[in-house]
Structure formats: structure tokens, C-alpha cells
Amino acid sequence: MAELIRLVSGDEPGEPPAGHGAIVTFIGTVRGENQGRKVVRLEYEAYEPLALRAFGVIADEVRNRWPSARVAFHHRTGSLALGEASVMVVAASPHRAEAFSACRYVIERVKQIAPVWKREFFEGGDVWIEGAAADASDEASSEEAYRRACE
Amino acid sequence: MRITIRLFGRLHDLAGATELVRELAGAATVATAWTVLAEEFPAIAPYARSVSAAVNADFAKMTTPLADGDEVAFLPPVSGG
């Protein structure tokens, strides 16, 4: 998380700080309950080169929607225990409204288009969780993410 | 042409493989590769409507043409976060 904050601050050693007025952070963690099941752990799988491309698409969208915001985000893969962080988003901007919105937008878009899959291991079995059909060019889903970001 | 097919999430469980190499005849698209795969592994056929695809690690459509040596990935609905 400190690394992500350093990335959005854009501050270089020996240079005066950029002085963003707001930094918003989001950490998604492994929840112990899902749809009535007692979750034991999650296993995340990603198609990494495409995930990085999807992250680039999301970063470009943020630049277009909130030109004053800077974002950095990271998704973990592999086996994660209850309470562990699976995804982290940091957004910086001169004022809090854009930082909150950009941060929310990134996590909504990650859930919509990033090629990442979670397998839930619960008491009594395991199941692949399936959410959105990933379509990075679908404007309706990016508008839906924007609407949620600005609620 | 020879292509590499990569499967993710529940698709690789259903097909029993994460990576397959297959020969496609003539002018093939991503849809051709999916059809060949779904015939070989009927269990994945119900994903026809929800699957998305990538060619050489870039988002693609079912109509995207394929060339010899391409890597085609089939992605079930994603669940990051």
C-alpha cells in the first residue's frame, strides 16, 4: 500500500512535493461468508499479460474522466486466507470528491473487466465465482461504473 | 494453422487442461477455435454466451481472425476483487 501511495503522490526525492489535497485508499479483503457459505480461503487466478492491459485501459479511462486524479492499483493472485488483502486501489487528486470517485471507479472496473477469477473454498466444497462477462469495449458497463463512482 | 488455446477459471477444470495446441483449417476466427473446443469438450458449450476471448493477450471478439501461431484465450465471466 505504501508503494501505491508513493506512486500516486508522484513525489521525487529532492523535488518539492506535488501536494495532492486528497488520497483515497481501498483494500478489498477476503470475507468469511459468501451467499450463506462459510468461506475458508480464496484462490485467485489471473491471465497476467491481459490483466496488465486491462489495468492500462482502466487507467486511461480514469485520465479521461478525472484529469486531475492519479491512480495506482494492484491485485494479488494465489491462495489468500480470511481477512487478507486481495486488491488495493489508491487515488490522489487535489480535492476529495475526485479521489473518492476515481478510487471507486477503478475497483468497479477491475471487477468488470480484469481477467481475474476467484475460486472459493468453503466448508463442504469449492466453487468458481463467476461475475461479469469481460468486455473492455462495452460502454454501458463503463457508464455503470461511472454512475456508481459518482453516487 | 496451429494455434495455442489457453483456458482459465472453471473452463480449465471442465476441459481438464490449461493449455492446448490445435490445428485449424482454412480462414479461422476465434469462433472457429471455440467451436472446435466445444465439440471436443461438450461440458464447456454452455459458456458460449458468456465467454469472452483474447488473442495474443489482447481483448478480442468472436469474429477476430486468427493467424498461425496465435495464442487464443477463453475467459469465463471474471470475478476479481
Side-chain angles (χ1 to χ4, degrees), chain B:
Chain B
M1 70 181 76
R2 176 173 291 217
I3 59 157
T4 301
I5 297 173
R6 297 194 58 185
L7 299 172
F8 291 89
R10 189 158 170 257
L11 288 181
H12 65 56
D13 283 7
L14 292 171
T18 56
E19 194 170 312
L20 300 158
V21 176
R22 290 293 178 271
E23 289 283 343
L24 302 180
T29 63
V30 172
T32 317
W34 175 258
T35 303
V36 165
L37 205 64
E39 280 173 7
E40 188 175 342
F41 306 102
I44 70 165
Y47 279 86
R49 263 187 249 168
S50 60
V51 74
S52 18
V55 175
N56 300 329
D58 200 0
F59 288 106
K61 303 207 175 294
M62 280 294 171
T63 51
T64 302
L66 295 179
D68 189 45
D70 278 352
E71 175 179 286
V72 184
F74 289 111
L75 322 170
V78 298
S79 56

Side-chain angles (χ1 to χ4, degrees), chain A residues 26 28 58 73 75 87-89 102-112, chain B residues 80-81:
Chain A
F26 171 79
I58 295 168
F73 44 108
H75 203 304
V87 59
M88 284 164 274
V89 182
C103 185
R104 177 78 191 264
Y105 183 81
V106 168
I107 185 61
E108 296 296 332
R109 289 297 275 156
V110 165
K111 291 177 82 77
Q112 286 177 341

Side-chain angles (χ1 to χ4, degrees), chain A residues 60-104:
Chain A
D60 285 344
E61 290 173 354
V62 169
R63 262 189 290 280
N64 287 331
R65 292 185 185 277
W66 297 278
S68 67
R70 292 171 65 108
V71 294
F73 44 108
H74 177 71
H75 203 304
R76 294 176 68 199
T77 56
S79 182
L80 298 184
L82 296 190
E84 274 197 274
S86 56
V87 59
M88 284 164 274
V89 182
V90 177
S93 69
H95 299 282
R96 67 186 179 283
E98 300 94 315
F100 273 112
S101 293
C103 185
R104 177 78 191 264

Side-chain angles (χ1 to χ4, degrees), chain A residues 12-82:
Chain A
E12 299 292 338
E15 298 288 319
H20 292 291
I23 294 179
V24 170
T25 63
F26 171 79
I27 304 177
T29 61
V30 178
R31 192 171 61 238
E33 178 279 332
N34 191 33
Q35 298 182 342
R37 298 185 293 263
K38 289 193 84 172
V39 177
V40 179
R41 67 185 174 92
L42 296 178
E43 254 182 44
Y44 284 91
E45 174 181 308
Y47 184 19
E48 192 169 327
L50 186 65
L52 294 176
R53 204 174 277 266
F55 284 12
V57 168
I58 295 168
D60 285 344
E61 290 173 354
V62 169
R63 262 189 290 280
N64 287 331
R65 292 185 185 277
W66 297 278
S68 67
R70 292 171 65 108
V71 294
F73 44 108
H74 177 71
H75 203 304
R76 294 176 68 199
T77 56
S79 182
L80 298 184
L82 296 190

